[in-house]
Amino acid sequence: QVQLVESGGGLVQPGGSLRLSCTASGGIYRINDMGWHRQAPGKERESVAAITTYGSTNYADSVKGRFTISRDNAKNTVYLQMNSLKPEDTAVYYCNADLIVAGTLAGMAYWGKGTLVTVSS
């Protein structure tokens, strides 16, 4: 059974940094795109950053220059380095992956359960 497990969230002061990690496990044949979304209280879930298998990245305008997404294909892990954090970055951050389960042919999207990031003084 495929699982995506996030870690690294917490409370940080404005201007601080956090690094989120997300590891996929459970009968995976191949992972294609991976990424991070976030959902703030009372708002819709939005894409933050994404990365392809080969390392091409894209970012939401609101985080460009502050956040960096990366991945370790050998560990089935994606990271989100968040610097210069602002109160408006407060949200639950969700990892997602488009992957192919061993023994199947079709790619499917999987999501983690989320990790809370709170930016406050």
Side-chain angles (χ1 to χ4, degrees):
Q1 182 176 357
V2 175
Q3 284 189 311
L4 273 64
V5 179
E6 301 102 334
S7 62
L11 173 64
V12 63
Q13 292 187 343
S17 298
L18 281 176
R19 188 191 195 209
L20 305 182
S21 300
C22 172
T23 298
S25 62
I28 298 168
Y29 172 68
R30 186 177 72 208
I31 302 177
N32 297 319
D33 294 353
M34 302 184 81
W36 292 91
H37 284 64
R38 68 185 180 187
Q39 187 166 17
K43 296 187 177 182
E44 293 186 353
R45 189 175 297 191
E46 62 174 356
S47 176
V48 175
I51 185 167
T52 69
T53 303
Y54 304 105
S56 295
T57 60
N58 63 73
Y59 298 91
D61 288 343
S62 59
V63 307
K64 282 181 181 177
R66 300 188 297 122
F67 291 10
T68 302
I69 189 170
S70 61
R71 64 189 284 174
D72 184 334
N73 292 332
K75 296 181 179 180
N76 289 346
T77 299
V78 62
Y79 306 96
L80 187 67
Q81 177 66 45
M82 306 185 294
N83 298 328
S84 302
L85 282 160
K86 305 175 181 180
E88 52 263 44
D89 294 317
T90 295
V92 177
Y93 284 70
Y94 298 91
C95 165
N96 68 283
D98 177 61
L99 59 87
I100 300 174
V101 174
T104 70
L105 296 176
M108 290 183 61
Y110 290 83
W111 292 82
K113 294 183 178 180
T115 184
L116 177 62
V117 172
T118 303
V119 185
S120 175
S121 55

